[in-house]
Amino acid sequence: MAVPHPSSTFRAVVTGASSGIGMELARVLARRGHSVILVARRGDVLEGLADELRGDFSVEVEVRAMDLSDPSAVATLCDELAEREISVLANNAGVATFGPIAELDAAGERAQLRLNANAVHDLTLAVLPQMVARGSGGILMVGSAAGNMPIPNNATYAASKAFVNTFSESLRGELKGTGVHVTLLAPGPVRTGVPSADDASTVDDLVPDFLWHDSSRVAEMSLDALARNKMRVVPGTLSKAMSVAGGYSPRAVVAPIVGRFYGKLGDGA
Ligand SMILES: NC(=O)c1ccc[n+]([C@@H]2O[C@H](COP(=O)([O-])OP(=O)(O)OC[C@H]3O[C@@H](n4cnc5c(N)ncnc54)[C@H](OP(=O)(O)O)[C@@H]3O)[C@@H](O)[C@H]2O)c1
């Protein structure tokens, strides 16, 4: 089998569904007929999306407003998901910080690691047994091109995404022949809104328009790849260049170059 067809009992889970790539993943899943469980902290935004998806696609939508950097909240969600029929898990929620880690808020850096890595690990372990027993399911891991290389001035994020990238591709090897699909989305820059002249960030200033990918397109590509059990989705020119640089260039050469770029993000982002 593969990713199960939508049914009244199956649920596709999207973490970080209140914005950006996660919101688009939820929209694409619902358009394809999947009933969904939406997870993020901002319950009001999730409720708005839930109304939209119920209205547009006649699917069941459940909202779980929670902080996935809080281990007890993650444990509660894991207990629930282990008991439900989960067809798809999209491990998407993630945050990044920029700048020298010694100057960043230590509590925030720890929370980032728990969200970007521990929650991904915990949620995956919660749904895997049922997927393997059933011989069907799909896990989409949202890592990053940033996880392919050392990145000074983005240390917690790059290391957490290295975990996601490696976990995804290792897990996939173990699951060969089980019917459970695992796909890694490892993007470079993905535009998750239309920046106005007033709120355009330093990232927008530094990355030219043609290198950005649109989040709805990235969501479509990722779910198509998951259906085909592709190993890795790398959308766009810059993502591919970062993947090649991270995979084939000496790390001692790459680190100072990308570190200088990410240092500029730390100055203004
Ligand atoms: N956009 C890019 O250029 C890019 C590039 C490479 C990789 N990625 C990865 O793609 C994923 C999505 O990125 P995005 O750009 O779409 O991000 P985004 O628009 O900032 O959305 C992040 C999502 O994560 C949720 N989230 C953040 N902290 C959370 C927490 N503690 N608990 C629960 N949910 C939390 C946010 O919802 P609440 O605030 O409501 O909690 C939001 O729904 C991330 O893993 C990111 O690292 C993005």
Short mmCIF file of all heavy atoms in Angstrom, two decimals, residues 15-22 39-42 66-69 91-95 115-116 142-145 157 161 186-192 212, ligand 1:
data_model
loop_
_atom_site.label_atom_id
_atom_site.label_comp_id
_atom_site.label_asym_id
_atom_site.label_seq_id
_atom_site.Cartn_x
_atom_site.Cartn_y
_atom_site.Cartn_z
N THR A 15 1.47 19.88 11.30
CA THR A 15 1.95 20.80 12.35
C THR A 15 2.39 22.10 11.69
O THR A 15 2.84 22.12 10.54
CB THR A 15 3.11 20.18 13.15
OG1 THR A 15 4.28 20.09 12.34
CG2 THR A 15 2.74 18.81 13.70
N GLY A 16 2.22 23.18 12.43
CA GLY A 16 2.54 24.50 11.86
C GLY A 16 1.57 24.88 10.76
O GLY A 16 1.96 25.48 9.76
N ALA A 17 0.28 24.56 10.97
CA ALA A 17 -0.72 24.79 9.91
C ALA A 17 -1.28 26.21 9.92
O ALA A 17 -2.13 26.53 9.10
CB ALA A 17 -1.86 23.78 10.06
N SER A 18 -0.81 27.05 10.84
CA SER A 18 -1.41 28.39 10.92
C SER A 18 -0.72 29.40 10.02
O SER A 18 -1.07 30.58 10.03
CB SER A 18 -1.35 28.90 12.38
OG SER A 18 0.00 29.01 12.79
N SER A 19 0.24 28.95 9.21
CA SER A 19 0.99 29.91 8.39
C SER A 19 1.79 29.17 7.32
O SER A 19 2.00 27.96 7.42
CB SER A 19 1.92 30.68 9.34
OG SER A 19 2.93 31.35 8.67
N GLY A 20 2.19 29.90 6.30
CA GLY A 20 3.21 29.47 5.36
C GLY A 20 3.00 28.10 4.73
O GLY A 20 1.90 27.75 4.26
N ILE A 21 4.04 27.31 4.70
CA ILE A 21 4.02 26.01 4.02
C ILE A 21 2.98 25.10 4.66
O ILE A 21 2.26 24.37 3.97
CB ILE A 21 5.43 25.36 4.08
CG1 ILE A 21 6.46 26.22 3.34
CG2 ILE A 21 5.39 23.95 3.47
CD1 ILE A 21 7.92 25.79 3.56
N GLY A 22 2.88 25.12 6.00
CA GLY A 22 1.94 24.24 6.69
C GLY A 22 0.50 24.53 6.33
O GLY A 22 -0.32 23.62 6.14
N VAL A 39 -2.40 21.67 13.68
CA VAL A 39 -1.68 21.92 14.94
C VAL A 39 -0.82 23.18 14.81
O VAL A 39 -0.10 23.34 13.82
CB VAL A 39 -0.76 20.72 15.30
CG1 VAL A 39 -0.15 20.92 16.68
CG2 VAL A 39 -1.50 19.39 15.21
N ALA A 40 -0.90 24.04 15.80
CA ALA A 40 -0.02 25.22 15.94
C ALA A 40 -0.44 25.91 17.24
O ALA A 40 -1.39 25.45 17.90
CB ALA A 40 -0.14 26.18 14.76
N ARG A 41 0.23 27.00 17.58
CA ARG A 41 -0.16 27.69 18.83
C ARG A 41 -1.37 28.58 18.64
O ARG A 41 -2.21 28.67 19.52
CB ARG A 41 1.03 28.54 19.34
CG ARG A 41 2.18 27.73 19.89
CD ARG A 41 3.40 28.59 20.08
NE ARG A 41 3.80 29.20 18.80
CZ ARG A 41 4.84 29.99 18.64
NH1 ARG A 41 5.60 30.30 19.67
NH2 ARG A 41 5.13 30.49 17.44
N ARG A 42 -1.49 29.24 17.50
CA ARG A 42 -2.55 30.25 17.33
C ARG A 42 -3.87 29.59 16.94
O ARG A 42 -4.18 29.39 15.75
CB ARG A 42 -2.13 31.27 16.29
CG ARG A 42 -1.06 32.25 16.80
CD ARG A 42 -0.51 33.09 15.71
NE ARG A 42 0.20 32.30 14.72
CZ ARG A 42 0.49 32.70 13.49
NH1 ARG A 42 0.11 33.89 13.09
NH2 ARG A 42 1.15 31.91 12.66
N MET A 66 -1.65 24.20 20.36
CA MET A 66 -0.68 23.84 21.40
C MET A 66 0.73 24.27 21.02
O MET A 66 1.01 24.52 19.85
CB MET A 66 -0.71 22.32 21.63
CG MET A 66 -0.36 21.50 20.40
SD MET A 66 -0.34 19.73 20.76
CE MET A 66 -2.01 19.43 21.26
N ASP A 67 1.56 24.31 22.04
CA ASP A 67 2.96 24.69 21.85
C ASP A 67 3.79 23.40 21.74
O ASP A 67 3.96 22.67 22.72
CB ASP A 67 3.43 25.53 23.05
CG ASP A 67 4.86 26.01 22.89
OD1 ASP A 67 5.59 25.51 22.00
OD2 ASP A 67 5.26 26.90 23.67
N LEU A 68 4.31 23.15 20.56
CA LEU A 68 5.05 21.90 20.33
C LEU A 68 6.48 21.96 20.86
O LEU A 68 7.23 20.99 20.71
CB LEU A 68 5.05 21.56 18.83
CG LEU A 68 3.69 21.13 18.26
CD1 LEU A 68 3.77 20.97 16.74
CD2 LEU A 68 3.20 19.83 18.90
N SER A 69 6.87 23.09 21.46
CA SER A 69 8.16 23.09 22.15
C SER A 69 7.98 22.69 23.62
O SER A 69 8.95 22.62 24.37
CB SER A 69 8.84 24.46 22.05
OG SER A 69 8.13 25.41 22.82
N ASN A 91 5.28 16.79 9.37
CA ASN A 91 6.09 17.39 10.43
C ASN A 91 6.66 18.69 9.91
O ASN A 91 7.80 18.74 9.42
CB ASN A 91 7.24 16.44 10.79
CG ASN A 91 6.87 15.47 11.90
OD1 ASN A 91 6.26 15.82 12.90
ND2 ASN A 91 7.26 14.22 11.71
N ASN A 92 5.88 19.75 9.99
CA ASN A 92 6.26 21.00 9.33
C ASN A 92 6.65 22.13 10.29
O ASN A 92 7.49 22.95 9.93
CB ASN A 92 5.08 21.45 8.45
CG ASN A 92 5.22 22.89 8.02
OD1 ASN A 92 5.98 23.22 7.10
ND2 ASN A 92 4.49 23.79 8.69
N ALA A 93 6.06 22.19 11.48
CA ALA A 93 6.30 23.36 12.35
C ALA A 93 7.78 23.52 12.63
O ALA A 93 8.48 22.56 12.93
CB ALA A 93 5.54 23.19 13.67
N GLY A 94 8.25 24.74 12.53
CA GLY A 94 9.66 25.00 12.81
C GLY A 94 9.91 26.49 12.86
O GLY A 94 9.18 27.28 12.26
N VAL A 95 10.93 26.86 13.62
CA VAL A 95 11.33 28.28 13.68
C VAL A 95 12.85 28.37 13.53
O VAL A 95 13.56 27.39 13.73
CB VAL A 95 10.90 28.95 15.01
CG1 VAL A 95 9.39 29.04 15.11
CG2 VAL A 95 11.48 28.22 16.21
N LEU A 115 11.24 22.08 19.45
CA LEU A 115 10.22 22.16 18.38
C LEU A 115 10.73 21.51 17.09
O LEU A 115 10.05 20.66 16.50
CB LEU A 115 9.86 23.63 18.11
CG LEU A 115 8.96 23.89 16.91
CD1 LEU A 115 7.55 23.36 17.16
CD2 LEU A 115 8.91 25.38 16.57
N ASN A 116 11.90 21.94 16.65
CA ASN A 116 12.38 21.54 15.32
C ASN A 116 12.83 20.08 15.27
O ASN A 116 12.77 19.47 14.20
CB ASN A 116 13.57 22.42 14.89
CG ASN A 116 13.17 23.85 14.61
OD1 ASN A 116 12.03 24.25 14.82
ND2 ASN A 116 14.11 24.66 14.14
N VAL A 142 9.61 18.15 7.07
CA VAL A 142 10.06 19.43 6.52
C VAL A 142 11.39 19.79 7.19
O VAL A 142 11.42 20.29 8.31
CB VAL A 142 9.00 20.53 6.70
CG1 VAL A 142 9.50 21.82 6.04
CG2 VAL A 142 7.68 20.10 6.08
N GLY A 143 12.45 19.42 6.48
CA GLY A 143 13.80 19.80 6.92
C GLY A 143 14.17 21.10 6.25
O GLY A 143 13.35 22.01 6.13
N SER A 144 15.39 21.17 5.77
CA SER A 144 15.83 22.40 5.09
C SER A 144 17.15 22.16 4.39
O SER A 144 17.95 21.32 4.81
CB SER A 144 16.02 23.52 6.13
OG SER A 144 16.56 24.67 5.50
N ALA A 145 17.37 22.94 3.34
CA ALA A 145 18.70 22.96 2.72
C ALA A 145 19.73 23.39 3.76
O ALA A 145 20.90 23.01 3.67
CB ALA A 145 18.70 23.91 1.53
N TYR A 157 19.31 26.26 14.39
CA TYR A 157 18.42 25.89 13.28
C TYR A 157 19.10 24.89 12.35
O TYR A 157 18.52 23.85 12.01
CB TYR A 157 18.03 27.15 12.50
CG TYR A 157 17.08 26.87 11.35
CD1 TYR A 157 15.74 26.57 11.60
CD2 TYR A 157 17.52 26.89 10.03
CE1 TYR A 157 14.87 26.31 10.55
CE2 TYR A 157 16.64 26.63 8.99
CZ TYR A 157 15.32 26.34 9.25
OH TYR A 157 14.45 26.08 8.23
N LYS A 161 17.82 21.10 11.72
CA LYS A 161 17.38 20.63 10.40
C LYS A 161 18.28 19.51 9.89
O LYS A 161 17.83 18.66 9.11
CB LYS A 161 17.32 21.79 9.42
CG LYS A 161 16.19 22.78 9.75
CD LYS A 161 14.82 22.10 9.71
CE LYS A 161 13.68 23.06 9.99
NZ LYS A 161 12.35 22.44 9.94
N ALA A 186 13.31 19.57 1.61
CA ALA A 186 14.50 20.32 2.07
C ALA A 186 14.67 21.58 1.24
O ALA A 186 15.54 21.67 0.39
CB ALA A 186 15.74 19.43 1.97
N PRO A 187 13.82 22.57 1.51
CA PRO A 187 13.86 23.77 0.67
C PRO A 187 14.94 24.77 1.08
O PRO A 187 15.42 24.75 2.21
CB PRO A 187 12.47 24.38 0.89
CG PRO A 187 12.05 23.92 2.24
CD PRO A 187 12.79 22.64 2.54
N GLY A 188 15.25 25.65 0.15
CA GLY A 188 15.93 26.90 0.48
C GLY A 188 14.84 27.90 0.75
O GLY A 188 13.81 27.54 1.36
N PRO A 189 14.96 29.13 0.28
CA PRO A 189 13.93 30.13 0.61
C PRO A 189 12.58 29.84 -0.02
O PRO A 189 12.50 29.53 -1.21
CB PRO A 189 14.50 31.43 0.05
CG PRO A 189 15.75 31.11 -0.66
CD PRO A 189 16.07 29.68 -0.48
N VAL A 190 11.54 29.88 0.80
CA VAL A 190 10.16 29.71 0.33
C VAL A 190 9.39 30.94 0.78
O VAL A 190 9.35 31.25 1.99
CB VAL A 190 9.51 28.45 0.94
CG1 VAL A 190 8.05 28.36 0.51
CG2 VAL A 190 10.27 27.20 0.54
N ARG A 191 8.79 31.64 -0.16
CA ARG A 191 8.06 32.85 0.21
C ARG A 191 6.71 32.44 0.77
O ARG A 191 5.94 31.76 0.12
CB ARG A 191 7.89 33.76 -1.00
CG ARG A 191 7.47 35.15 -0.65
CD ARG A 191 7.86 36.13 -1.75
NE ARG A 191 9.07 36.88 -1.41
CZ ARG A 191 9.81 37.53 -2.30
NH1 ARG A 191 9.53 37.48 -3.56
NH2 ARG A 191 10.88 38.20 -1.92
N THR A 192 6.45 32.86 2.01
CA THR A 192 5.23 32.40 2.68
C THR A 192 4.20 33.51 2.82
O THR A 192 3.24 33.39 3.54
CB THR A 192 5.57 31.81 4.07
OG1 THR A 192 6.29 32.79 4.80
CG2 THR A 192 6.41 30.57 3.95
N TRP A 212 13.11 32.71 -5.06
CA TRP A 212 12.07 32.33 -4.10
C TRP A 212 11.11 31.32 -4.72
O TRP A 212 10.79 31.39 -5.89
CB TRP A 212 11.26 33.56 -3.67
CG TRP A 212 11.99 34.48 -2.75
CD1 TRP A 212 12.70 35.58 -3.09
CD2 TRP A 212 12.08 34.38 -1.32
NE1 TRP A 212 13.21 36.19 -1.98
CE2 TRP A 212 12.86 35.47 -0.88
CE3 TRP A 212 11.59 33.47 -0.38
CZ2 TRP A 212 13.15 35.69 0.47
CZ3 TRP A 212 11.88 33.69 0.96
CH2 TRP A 212 12.65 34.79 1.36
N1 LIG B 1 10.10 29.47 4.37
C1 LIG B 1 11.34 29.08 4.11
O1 LIG B 1 12.08 29.77 3.41
C2 LIG B 1 11.83 27.74 4.60
C3 LIG B 1 13.03 27.24 4.09
C4 LIG B 1 13.48 26.01 4.55
C5 LIG B 1 12.77 25.31 5.49
N2 LIG B 1 11.61 25.83 5.99
C6 LIG B 1 10.90 25.06 7.01
O2 LIG B 1 9.56 24.93 6.63
C7 LIG B 1 8.72 24.86 7.79
C8 LIG B 1 7.61 25.90 7.67
O3 LIG B 1 8.22 27.14 7.44
P1 LIG B 1 7.39 28.46 7.05
O4 LIG B 1 8.33 29.39 6.39
O5 LIG B 1 6.12 28.06 6.42
O6 LIG B 1 7.17 29.03 8.52
P2 LIG B 1 6.10 30.03 9.14
O7 LIG B 1 5.26 30.67 8.09
O8 LIG B 1 6.85 30.90 10.08
O9 LIG B 1 5.18 29.01 9.94
C9 LIG B 1 5.70 28.29 11.04
C10 LIG B 1 4.58 27.48 11.61
O10 LIG B 1 5.08 26.78 12.77
C11 LIG B 1 4.19 27.07 13.86
N3 LIG B 1 4.94 27.09 15.11
C12 LIG B 1 5.98 27.88 15.41
N4 LIG B 1 6.36 27.66 16.67
C13 LIG B 1 5.52 26.71 17.17
C14 LIG B 1 5.40 26.06 18.42
N5 LIG B 1 6.23 26.35 19.44
N6 LIG B 1 4.44 25.13 18.58
C15 LIG B 1 3.58 24.85 17.56
N7 LIG B 1 3.65 25.42 16.35
C16 LIG B 1 4.61 26.34 16.16
C17 LIG B 1 3.61 28.45 13.55
O11 LIG B 1 2.36 28.61 14.16
P3 LIG B 1 2.05 29.41 15.52
O12 LIG B 1 2.89 30.65 15.51
O13 LIG B 1 0.58 29.65 15.44
O14 LIG B 1 2.42 28.47 16.60
C18 LIG B 1 3.41 28.34 12.04
O15 LIG B 1 2.21 27.69 11.76
C19 LIG B 1 9.64 25.10 8.98
O16 LIG B 1 10.00 23.88 9.57
C20 LIG B 1 10.85 25.77 8.35
O17 LIG B 1 12.03 25.55 9.09
C21 LIG B 1 11.12 27.03 5.56
#
